[in-house]
Amino acid sequence: MNPFINSMAILAVAACAAFSAHAAPAGASHPKVDLASCAKPVYPADARAAKHDGTVKLAFLVGPDGKLADSKVESSSGHAALDDAAHQALKLCTFRPASAKGKPVESWARVAYVWKL
């Protein structure tokens, strides 16, 4: 039996929401992640062997070019290997940048990776 089928991470779609330090101007949009483009993250072998699970919440910055510019852990799963795997998985996604006044701009968003065995 393939351990990646029974023990994989779930990208929590409902937890993906854009945010910024300032109120968005009228006509502004938020960055979008193409969830279909995100490869399923590999459950770290050491975390799987230790039966670690949990949820890691990441904040990520999408640049005006639509590329991931930065990401940081807002809430740890409690296990560094799972947090790191979430960072690595996010790098594999495709993004559409936010816009303001019809022009692409950088903007922060959030996503949660739920690791469950």
Side-chain angles (χ1 to χ4, degrees):
M1 178 175 279
N2 185 338
F4 296 110
I5 294 173
N6 290 330
S7 56
M8 63 173 88
I10 302 166
L11 180 60
V13 177
C16 186
F19 70 98
S20 66
H22 306 287
S29 72
H30 299 290
K32 305 277 190 253
V33 59
D34 178 3
L35 296 173
S37 76
C38 299
K40 290 183 181 172
V42 176
Y43 214 110
D46 57 335
R48 188 174 53 251
K51 299 185 184 200
H52 291 163
D53 60 14
T55 300
V56 57
K57 294 179 183 175
L58 300 176
F60 61 96
L61 180 64
V62 176
D65 58 0
K67 294 183 181 179
L68 183 67
D70 193 11
S71 65
K72 59 186 175 183
V73 174
E74 285 196 317
S75 176
S76 174
S77 65
H79 308 287
L82 297 179
D83 295 352
D84 185 53
H87 273 292
Q88 297 307 315
L90 189 61
K91 291 178 183 178
L92 302 175
C93 296
T94 302
F95 304 93
R96 188 174 73 214
S99 66
K101 297 181 183 178
K103 295 186 179 184
V105 295
E106 74 176 16
S107 185
W108 285 91
R110 292 181 172 125
V111 68
Y113 281 88
V114 179
W115 300 94
K116 186 174 179 180
L117 293 172

